[in-house]
Amino acid sequence: MNIQAEINWIHQEIDKVKDPTFVEKLKNLLQSINNPTVDSDVVYNIDIENALEDIKKGAFYSENEAKKIAKKWGRK
C-alpha cells in the first residue's frame, strides 16, 4: 500500500465534498483520533447533536428499513 497515494486520493475526494454535515462529522472524527484526551462526554454530545441534525434532514431509516438492512449483513 502506498500511503501517500492513499492520502492524495482522500484529499481529492474531500475537495469534492459540499455537505456541511459530512464535513463536521469528518472534523469530529479527525479530532477524536488526533486528540485522544478529548472528554468522552463531549464526543458523545457531539454525536447526539449530529444525529439530531440528521433526523431534522430526514437522513434516517424507519424501523422496517433498518431491519431489512440488518438482514443483509450476514449474507455476503
Side-chain angles (χ1 to χ4, degrees):
M1 173 194 339
N2 180 343
I3 192 71
Q4 191 57 50
E6 296 288 334
I7 291 170
N8 290 340
W9 179 85
I10 291 169
H11 284 170
Q12 290 172 357
E13 293 303 308
I14 289 172
D15 287 342
K16 297 175 190 175
V17 173
K18 304 295 182 215
D19 179 3
T21 302
F22 176 79
V23 172
E24 185 67 24
K25 289 178 183 181
L26 182 59
K27 176 183 168 185
N28 293 335
L29 173 66
L30 292 171
Q31 286 175 332
S32 68
I33 291 169
N34 293 327
N35 188 4
T37 61
V38 171
D39 189 325
S40 62
D41 289 341
V42 172
V43 173
Y44 176 78
N45 288 332
I46 290 170
D47 287 343
I48 295 294
E49 289 173 18
N50 288 336
L52 291 172
E53 189 64 32
D54 285 345
I55 291 167
K56 287 179 188 175
K57 292 179 179 180
F60 61 89
Y61 295 105
S62 70
E63 182 179 356
N64 288 337
E65 291 169 324
K67 286 179 181 179
K68 287 178 185 176
I69 292 167
K71 285 181 182 180
K72 294 178 184 177
W73 289 344
R75 298 183 185 184
K76 290 186 177 183

